[in-house]
Amino acid sequence: MKTIKIQLETLTCPSCINKIEGVLNKQNGVDDAKVMFNSSKVKVTYNEEETNPKELSEIIEKLGYPVLS
């Protein structure tokens, strides 16, 4: 398992947390996803044989939350 932190452009509401965590936690290879509202970061623990940071960032962006490089 690996852990990464993905920096988001911004989070505007607490319901964003539930949306992002809910979708990521259902993805194959994701062990745990937690959104840190105050820092606009998503901490994801994942199996690198099943997913990768690029794929996880794309999922977040499809939900409407821009990821900073």
Side-chain angles (χ1 to χ4, degrees), residues 1 4 11 19 25 37-38 43 50 53 56 60-61 69:
M1 292 290 183
I4 60 164
L11 286 173
K19 185 175 182 181
N25 281 314
F37 186 76
N38 291 338
K43 181 179 175 183
E50 295 183 54
L56 296 169
I60 294 168
E61 288 193 330
S69 304

Side-chain angles (χ1 to χ4, degrees), residues 27-69:
Q27 298 302 310
N28 287 338
V30 173
D31 183 59
D32 187 50
K34 296 271 187 231
V35 176
M36 296 168 278
F37 186 76
N38 291 338
S39 62
S40 296
K41 290 183 182 176
V42 183
K43 181 179 175 183
V44 185
T45 303
Y46 66 99
N47 181 336
E48 62 187 321
E49 294 177 10
E50 295 183 54
T51 192
N52 59 67
K54 183 177 189 276
E55 187 175 290
L56 296 169
S57 292
E58 288 172 356
I59 292 167
I60 294 168
E61 288 193 330
K62 285 180 185 175
L63 293 172
Y65 303 99
V67 172
L68 298 177
S69 304

